[in-house]
Amino acid sequence: MAAQLIPITVAEGDGIGPEIMDATLRILKAAGAPLDIKNVEIGEKVYLSGQPTGIENSTWDLIRQSKALLKAPITTPQGGGFKSLNVTIRTTLGLYANVRPCVAYYPFVETKYPGMNVVIVRENEEDLYTGIEYRQTPDVYEALKLITRPGCEKIIRYAFEYAQIYHRKKVTCFTKDNILKLTDGLFHKIFDEIGAEYPQIEKEHWIVDIGAAKLADTPTAFDVIVMPNLYGDILSDVAAQIAGSVGLAGSANIGNSGAMFEAIHGSAPRRAGQNLANPSGLLLAAIQMLVHLEQSNLAELIHNAWLKTLEEGIHTYDIFKEKTSKQKVGTKEFANAVTARLGKKPETLPAAHYSTSFHIKHSNFSSLKNFKQELYGIDIFIKWSEDVETLATLLQSTSNHDLKLKMINNRGVKVWPNKMPETACIDNWRCRFISSTNKIVSQEQILNLLNRLVQKKLTLTQTAYLFAFDGQAGYTLAQDEQ
Ligand code: NAD
């Protein structure tokens, strides 16, 4: 009886995408992967044909009906144009975990770090990648960094489950919680909470700047690293490049009910159409996909043939070195070489091994609904181009005994009361109003205050409620604020 075919969708992407996808699919086919492939068009071409999102509604249905999407890189316009479709796919389909193994293949691929084998588990739905940005005054732009408890719990548990299943010894967390005390602070706190459930796995936390320096200098000190979205995006490229080449890393984007697999690199438009690109990143992503589809034997077969090809020095231009390589090949020839080695195993590099038990549990996450949430006041951002003392006097005249002006802050620095002469200010001022009588205020009191400010012809550019949760401030305090 013929094997049941597994439905997948395939998007060949832009730039080098079609060439590396063709190479990857030819290898999968030669290995006998039981896939029912539906091609979908997404990205630049769809955008240019008049669909502003870069993806047709019917394409979403096809992706949702398939077990996985294998996607080649997509060109994303910079600084304008359509929103990154990669981010849209990850967030719309709830693909919260981005798993990016970065491995050195020394001595066959040149690297400064033989023995490097780091897996970066990047949070995929939150952080600055929500893309929520505002221009508040002619000079001031803002991006929202959004971090949630469920988001942190899901990704951190995924990282520990991954480490456990793949027999990894250590999970490291990178954050910037010395500065971002609430957002990155939450990520770190949940890392500690969930980490305690995995006593057999070593745990450590690094501030991301020095952690990144350590990763670039001594990557062998790391095993699995879990990070918020932006740090994970940047550092997985760094890790892949220092392992050998960005062209060698694949990634899995996993959600509760869907999955997408892609190379970590982009569409490299300058290399497109020349049969030059290395298809390895997409091929390794396809191998991750086969593991996800419980085709571990096939994943192993293809991965080992690929390792053997590297060992024999058959290399594309990006990893070709006179010293370590034997034959410089194009995309197609590289795929042919891998296909010819199906059934062979590497002799020096460790052979790949996958098991059908490599399935990662999706966590149930908690939501802290029982907290007492109380309103203490409001931060109002005001556009103002004169001096701060005049602004403070005007604002004090609008305050009443319910809500009093507590401080004015400019780009995070307190400038009233007691502005230092050196502090450079721009035309957007954060003005904090807090109740001076009892701590809790009503939304009505806040609306009345806003009304009084509008009557003074002030331009309000943004407002943020100041909540406390079980009596603990849910906002950052100014330098000397109690
Ligand atoms: P890039 O990764 O496309 O290319 C940077 C350089 O890396 C290339 O010039 C090339 O020298 C090398 N390179 C990358 N992949 C290679 C491969 N497979 N084989 C050989 N060499 C390779 O980065 P970029 O130039 O910054 O981005 C180009 C476009 O890709 C942009 O529009 C960007 O938004 C998009 N992008 C898409 C994805 C995605 O679809 N997931 C990811 C990153 C960037």
Side-chain angles (χ1 to χ4, degrees):
M1 206 172 71
Q4 187 88 27
L5 295 183
I6 307 165
I8 66 160
T9 33
V10 160
E12 65 171 23
D14 305 314
I16 57 169
E19 296 162 75
I20 59 173
M21 183 59 84
D22 176 65
T24 300
L25 292 181
R26 282 198 295 116
I27 296 167
L28 292 181
K29 206 167 157 204
L35 300 173
D36 174 13
I37 296 172
K38 276 207 171 53
N39 290 300
V40 291
E41 185 82 71
I42 54 181
E44 205 174 33
K45 278 185 228 133
V46 181
Y47 174 71
L48 294 174
S49 75
Q51 172 53 260
T53 57
I55 182 166
E56 301 283 358
N57 287 337
S58 54
T59 306
W60 284 117
D61 295 335
L62 290 174
I63 294 173
R64 218 178 278 116
Q65 285 155 16
S66 71
K67 296 269 181 216
L69 167 65
L70 181 64
K71 187 188 77 59
I74 295 171
T75 300
T76 308
Q78 286 164 357
F82 67 92
K83 194 175 163 174
S84 164
L85 200 49
N86 301 307
V87 175
T88 303
I89 292 173
R90 292 171 193 150
T91 52
T92 307
L93 298 178
L95 310 179
Y96 66 88
N98 191 333
V99 184
R100 300 181 155 197
C102 302
V103 182
Y105 302 98
Y106 185 82
F108 305 101
V109 178
E110 207 171 87
T111 172
K112 292 192 191 99
Y113 307 106
M116 175 177 175
N117 188 338
V118 175
V119 178
I120 293 185
V121 178
R122 162 190 173 194
E123 197 288 316
N124 228 4
E125 294 179 292
E126 306 193 338
D127 198 354
L128 287 162
Y129 286 68
T130 57
I132 302 172
E133 295 185 291
Y134 300 102
R135 184 174 182 181
Q136 296 178 336
T137 75
D139 289 344
V140 179
Y141 297 74
E142 183 203 29
L144 184 74
K145 177 175 165 104
L146 192 79
I147 302 275
T148 70
R149 173 169 268 275
C152 296
E153 285 188 14
K154 282 195 296 183
I155 193 64
I156 289 164
R157 190 170 296 285
Y158 190 93
F160 278 104
E161 286 291 316
Y162 182 97
Q164 186 155 280
I165 285 168
Y166 282 85
H167 307 295
R168 297 275 178 161
K169 299 206 161 30
K170 184 165 76 171
V171 179
T172 305
C173 173
F174 281 6
T175 72
K176 188 73 187 168
D177 67 341
N178 53 335
I179 304 295
L180 299 164
K181 294 179 193 291
L182 290 184
T183 47
D184 281 20
L186 178 70
F187 199 93
H188 186 175
K189 182 167 169 272
I190 292 174
F191 176 77
D192 290 344
E193 276 173 27
I194 289 179
E197 296 174 32
Y198 297 83
Q200 74 289 7
I201 296 174
E202 197 188 327
K203 293 156 278 276
E204 63 179 11
H205 172 268
W206 289 76
I207 300 288
V208 62
D209 39 8
I210 189 64
K214 179 81 177 170
L215 177 66
D217 181 61
T218 322
T220 44
F222 296 100
D223 195 347
V224 174
I225 314 180
V226 63
M227 292 183 237
N229 205 338
L230 180 65
Y231 314 143
D233 188 6
I234 296 168
L235 292 180
S236 55
D237 270 31
V238 172
Q241 187 63 33
I242 63 174
S245 162
V246 281
L248 286 180
S251 86
N253 298 267
I254 308 285
N256 286 355
S257 57
M260 188 244 288
F261 299 85
E262 59 184 342
I264 76 157
H265 60 77
S267 57
R270 282 190 303 125
R271 310 285 178 193
Q274 298 160 62
N275 191 35
L276 275 176
N278 188 347
S280 298
L282 188 61
L283 182 67
L284 290 177
I287 291 167
Q288 287 178 288
M289 177 183 77
L290 290 172
V291 177
H292 178 79
L293 299 174
E294 299 185 34
Q295 301 294 313
S296 46
N297 289 343
L298 278 174
E300 214 168 280
L301 180 79
I302 298 172
H303 201 156
N304 284 327
W306 177 78
L307 288 167
K308 182 83 176 116
T309 310
L310 285 192
E311 269 192 2
E312 289 189 22
I314 302 171
H315 294 166
T316 43
Y317 86 92
D318 56 316
I319 55 170
F320 186 88
K321 292 275 166 359
E322 292 297 340
K323 214 167 73 188
T324 47
S325 308
K326 294 216 168 61
Q327 196 186 343
K328 192 192 272 184
V329 291
T331 315
K332 283 196 183 113
E333 296 71 28
F334 184 81
N336 292 343
V338 176
T339 303
R341 283 159 186 77
L342 288 168
K344 296 197 171 155
K345 287 196 170 178
E347 282 154 36
T348 307
L349 293 169
H353 170 67
Y354 295 104
S355 144
T356 40
S357 64
F358 282 10
H359 257 267
I360 292 168
K361 264 197 325 231
H362 294 287
S363 61
N364 291 324
F365 49 82
S366 59
S367 174
L368 303 178
K369 292 203 172 66
N370 294 331
F371 263 58
K372 193 158 80 180
Q373 181 166 350
E374 292 164 327
L375 188 56
Y376 280 11
I378 187 165
D379 275 354
I380 304 171
F381 288 73
I382 297 174
K383 183 177 173 221
W384 181 258
S385 25
E386 293 170 44
D387 68 289
V388 66
E389 286 301 330
T390 315
L391 176 63
T393 309
L394 187 62
L395 294 179
Q396 280 173 308
S397 74
T398 64
S399 304
N400 59 17
H401 67 279
D402 287 334
L403 280 159
K404 280 214 158 33
L405 179 67
K406 177 119 194 260
M407 61 121 185
I408 302 178
N409 188 296
N410 197 293
R411 290 192 296 180
V413 183
K414 198 185 83 179
V415 288
W416 183 91
N418 306 325
K419 178 181 177 297
M420 299 278 184
E422 296 82 5
T423 309
C425 293
I426 42 87
D427 63 350
N428 201 34
W429 308 77
R430 179 164 67 125
C431 308
R432 176 161 294 178
F433 291 86
I434 295 243
S435 156
S436 58
T437 47
N438 59 38
K439 281 205 145 182
I440 302 166
V441 296
S442 67
Q443 297 201 64
E444 200 181 18
Q445 287 169 304
I446 290 204
L447 288 179
N448 288 338
L449 170 68
L450 292 173
N451 216 356
R452 291 196 294 276
L453 296 179
V454 172
Q455 278 165 13
K456 294 273 179 197
K457 308 267 184 259
L458 288 166
T459 304
L460 316 186
T461 56
Q462 194 190 20
T463 59
Y465 277 180
L466 304 175
F467 286 116
F469 297 82
D470 277 356
Q472 272 212 327
Y475 46 93
T476 45
L477 301 177
Q479 292 94 319
D480 58 355
E481 207 178 348
Q482 300 294 314

